[in-house]
């Protein structure tokens, strides 16, 4: 591996590690700050949905920032002829890679492809993690209606 490939690969691993920690912190914050749902239990789901959407948007912005930083280093690769260098271009590429497992209409050439791959992997990982989290909130919101005492016992065990 060349030095630039090692740089991009190391940056990609660091990005994945930091993103995982940030996502964990974000989910813990969402769990810690739920709205009062005594009268409207659905508000917990709505709050969770929007909080996680904001979390993912900030993660995409972080990916766009790293992509921009790596693009600024000569020899790390190029992002095709149609790629501009505006903020919106980096956000678009990071967002499409994050949400579609790397599919974008922009061809990456050189070591930067490693970061694109890690961006897609990290997006898949945190999106499925978030879906599991929302499923858990859904179960707590609507599970009590269907299961009665069983759900109360589950909540006691979880505490």
């Amino acid at each position: 591996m060349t030095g630039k490939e090692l740089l991009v690969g190391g940056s990609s691993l660091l990005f994945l590690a930091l993103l995982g920690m940030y996502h964990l912190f974000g989910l813990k914050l969402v769990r810690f700050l739920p709205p009062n749902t005594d009268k409207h239990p659905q508000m917990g789901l709505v709050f969770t949905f929007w909080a996680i959407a904001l979390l993912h948007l900030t993660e995409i912005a972080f990916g766009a920032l790293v992509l921009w930083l790596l693009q600024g280093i000569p020899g790390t690769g190029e992002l095709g002829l149609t790629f501009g260098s505006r903020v919106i271009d980096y956000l678009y590429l990071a967002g499409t890679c994050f949400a579609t497992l790397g599919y974008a209409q922009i061809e990456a050439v050189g070591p930067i492809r490693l970061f694109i791959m890690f961006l897609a992997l990290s997006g898949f990982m945190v999106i499925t993690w978030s879906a599991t989290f929302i499923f858990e909130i859904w179960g707590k919101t609507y599970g009590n209606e269907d299961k009665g005492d069983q759900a109360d016992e589950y909540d006691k065990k979880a505490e």
Side-chain angles (χ1 to χ4, degrees):
M1 289 185 84
T2 68
K4 298 299 181 184
E5 289 170 339
L6 289 172
L7 173 69
V8 172
S11 300
S12 300
L13 287 171
L14 181 61
F15 170 79
L16 184 61
L18 291 174
L19 189 78
M21 289 186 287
Y22 177 75
H23 196 76
L24 176 62
F25 174 76
L27 291 180
K28 285 184 176 273
L29 191 61
V30 170
R31 187 183 299 275
F32 180 73
L33 298 173
N36 184 354
T37 58
D38 293 337
K39 291 184 180 180
H40 303 286
Q42 306 86 335
M43 290 310 296
L45 283 170
V46 172
F47 169 79
T48 301
F49 174 82
W50 283 106
I52 289 176
L54 181 61
L55 181 63
H56 285 271
L57 289 172
T58 58
E59 292 165 348
I60 289 168
F62 178 45
L65 174 65
V66 174
L67 190 59
W68 175 76
L69 290 171
L70 288 172
Q71 272 296 122
I73 302 170
T76 57
E78 297 176 8
L79 294 173
L81 299 174
T82 60
F83 187 78
S85 59
R86 299 179 318 171
V87 171
I88 193 77
D89 297 318
Y90 286 100
L91 287 170
Y92 170 77
L93 180 58
T96 54
C97 288
F98 191 87
T100 64
L101 288 177
Y103 172 76
Q105 296 122 348
I106 299 164
E107 182 181 355
V109 178
I112 199 79
R113 293 177 300 161
L114 290 172
F115 183 72
I116 299 293
M117 179 195 69
F118 272 85
L119 192 56
L121 173 66
S122 64
F124 175 75
M125 291 173 69
V126 298
I127 287 171
T128 54
W129 190 358
S130 296
T132 303
F133 185 79
I134 290 173
F135 183 74
E136 178 188 349
I137 302 299
W138 179 275
K140 286 184 178 182
T141 302
Y142 294 107
N144 291 343
E145 295 173 2
D146 298 334
K147 296 182 182 176
D149 295 335
Q150 286 180 330
D152 293 336
E153 289 178 26
Y154 172 77
D155 288 341
K156 288 177 186 174
K157 288 180 185 177
E159 294 171 356

